[in-house]
């Protein structure tokens, strides 16, 4: 027996699945995590997984996981859980990774070189197919068998090669011009590692990855823990004195 829809939810369609609803951005991020975990479970030979197990491995609670999956009309079987292969396929389709993308990386300095050499992208269906830079010492060289082209070739190469995603790892001042070239080539999804905000048309999606900001957030939590520990010590000392 499948788990019943949540109270007040739209009725299931003819296939027993609830009609698709707009998926919140936060849920999309978690769906990507669930997909990664499901891939790991499948590689380990796991065929079914309970919502509690999948939630725990994904770092969320089971109620949130069930709500997230309900946006896809996906329900586990009571007492059995979710079929790993079936749910993995459903998430791949929802996230658009049921077919391989083609990724162009612009900027192959220290960070870009590391990104270009990361094999995990291809393993998840996001192979880096093209590299670009402006450094004459890099243009014409190869990284992981991919020749580095000059940035001015972006429009021709990306449009002709069917590039769907662009990654920008250039210095900040160069990022907007590179972004404009990618957009002109028809690239509508951009992952930006440059420390600037990019201006793009409404139909272009940009995700910003600012490593320094993430480190600052971690530093904040470290400081809060130290402050909390100091406060506890002060209270203990006061109790001893009293």
């Amino acid at each position: 027996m499948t788990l019943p829809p949540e109270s007040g939810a739209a009725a299931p369609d003819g296939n027993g699945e609830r009609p698709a609803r707009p998926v919140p951005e936060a849920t999309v991020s978690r769906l990507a995590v669930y997909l990664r975990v499901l891939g790991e479970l499948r590689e380990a030979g796991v065929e079914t997984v309970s919502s509690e197990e999948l939630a725990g491995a994904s770092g969320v609670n089971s109620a949130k996981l069930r709500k997230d999956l309900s946006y896809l009309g996906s329900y586990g079987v009571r007492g059995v859980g979710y079929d790993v292969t079936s749910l993995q396929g459903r998430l791949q389709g929802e996230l658009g990774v049921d077919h391989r993308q083609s990724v162009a990386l612009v900027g192959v300095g220290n960070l870009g070189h590391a990104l270009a050499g990361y094999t995990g992208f291809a393993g998840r269906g996001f192979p880096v197919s093209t590299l670009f830079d402006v450094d004459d010492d890099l243009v014409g060289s190869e990284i992981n068998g991919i020749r580095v082209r000059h940035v001015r070739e972006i429009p021709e190469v990306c449009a002709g090669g069917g590039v769907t995603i662009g990654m920008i790892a250039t210095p900040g001042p160069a990022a907007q011009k590179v972004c404009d070239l990618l957009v002109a080539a028809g690239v509508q999804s951009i992952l930006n590692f440059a420390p600037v905000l990019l201006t793009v048309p409404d139909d272009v999606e940009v995700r910003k990855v600012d490593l320094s900001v993430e480190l600052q957030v971690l530093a904040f939590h470290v400081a809060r823990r130290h402050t909390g520990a100091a406060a506890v010590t002060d209270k203990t000392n006061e109790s001893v004195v009293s």
Side-chain angles (χ1 to χ4, degrees), residues 6-162:
E6 297 174 4
S7 176
D13 60 21
N15 296 320
E17 296 180 341
R18 196 187 312 170
R21 295 177 289 157
V23 183
E25 190 70 22
T27 295
V28 174
S29 297
R30 290 192 293 270
L31 293 180
V33 175
Y34 305 153
L35 179 58
R36 174 181 58 78
V37 173
L38 287 167
E40 294 170 351
L41 291 173
R42 187 175 179 182
E43 290 174 1
V46 177
E47 296 181 354
T48 59
V49 61
S50 70
S51 59
E52 289 77 12
E53 292 169 334
L54 181 55
S58 303
V60 301
N61 62 58
S62 57
K64 180 170 290 185
L65 177 136
R66 286 193 292 268
K67 182 176 181 180
D68 288 341
L69 295 182
S70 75
Y71 283 100
L72 314 183
S74 181
Y75 301 98
V77 179
R78 191 180 301 278
V80 177
Y82 295 95
D83 180 85
V84 170
T85 300
S86 176
L87 184 56
Q88 183 185 34
R90 188 67 180 269
L91 287 174
Q92 286 174 332
E94 183 68 24
L95 293 171
V97 296
D98 51 347
H99 58 279
R100 291 175 72 83
Q101 306 287 338
S102 179
V103 180
L105 171 61
V106 188
V108 288
N110 292 333
L111 175 59
H113 199 287
L115 293 171
Y118 177 56
T119 58
F121 291 139
R124 299 294 181 182
F126 300 94
V128 176
S129 59
T130 312
L131 303 173
F132 298 96
D133 206 285
V134 295
D135 189 335
D136 291 335
D137 291 334
L138 292 172
V139 173
S141 64
E142 290 192 358
I143 301 176
N144 282 354
I146 304 173
R147 184 165 68 88
V148 179
R149 300 172 179 269
H150 197 280
V151 165
R152 60 174 170 265
E153 297 183 62
I154 287 177
E156 178 183 357
V157 173
C158 289

Side-chain angles (χ1 to χ4, degrees), residues 215-232:
L215 288 171
Q216 288 166 355
V217 170
L218 289 174
F220 166 80
H221 290 293
V222 170
R224 287 292 293 270
R225 284 196 294 270
H226 286 173
T227 300
V232 170

